[in-house]
Amino acid sequence: MKILIALLAVLFASYSAKDSGGGVLDLVKIYYVPIGVETYVPMTPENIEDSATSVGEVDPSSRQFKRLLNILYSSSRGQFKVDDLRVKIILPKNEIIYIDNHGGVRLPSSETHKLTYSDLKTVKKILERTTNKVNMVEKY
């Protein structure tokens, strides 16, 4: 009987670590070059991952990440500069959100939005809390 209970506990634990689609829950990956910092080369979708000075993984259900998404999706329509990126957020299912140096946002739907100055400051704080600095010596 004890063996049966132990097996049921293991099965339950492994089942609850999975999402309803049957796969393990994905984390959101964030690549971050500090907002406001000037770079020698343009930051583009092709080089932002290699150029990021901070990287993080966050649970998509975390309070901070939900707050970040709320700010990004509720911002007004506006311009986005693809060659001045500062943030790449890879969502589950490989959907990508980009944020440029001036608060321009490109959502997975390709809609472009613009953060207010206040929202950009809040986004910057959230990103600084959810990412860790990369040791550039080890990186290369």
Side-chain angles (χ1 to χ4, degrees), residues 67-109:
R67 184 173 179 216
L68 175 67
L69 285 183
N70 184 43
I71 292 168
L72 298 179
Y73 278 92
S74 65
S75 57
S76 301
R77 295 262 185 169
Q79 289 186 323
F80 168 78
K81 293 185 177 184
V82 73
D83 62 350
D84 200 14
L85 297 182
R86 292 298 179 267
V87 183
K88 179 178 183 179
I89 302 170
I90 303 174
L91 303 169
K93 299 182 184 177
N94 288 323
E95 295 177 317
I96 299 174
I97 296 173
Y98 292 106
I99 303 171
D100 72 26
N101 198 31
H102 305 285
V105 178
R106 188 173 82 193
L107 300 171
S109 63

Side-chain angles (χ1 to χ4, degrees), residues 50 52-55 132-140:
D50 291 332
T53 58
S54 297
V55 177
N132 298 310
K133 293 206 181 298
V134 175
N135 185 337
M136 299 307 277
V137 173
E138 290 178 8
K139 192 173 182 178
Y140 295 103

Side-chain angles (χ1 to χ4, degrees), residues 112-125:
T112 59
H113 290 222
K114 182 74 171 186
L115 298 170
T116 64
Y117 179 75
S118 175
D119 283 344
L120 184 58
K121 283 177 58 175
T122 302
V123 165
K124 184 177 176 179
K125 286 180 185 176

Side-chain angles (χ1 to χ4, degrees), residues 21-41:
V24 175
L25 291 174
D26 292 325
L27 295 177
V28 172
K29 185 86 172 190
I30 300 172
Y31 296 92
Y32 178 55
V33 175
I35 293 169
V37 169
E38 293 302 320
T39 60
Y40 291 111
V41 296

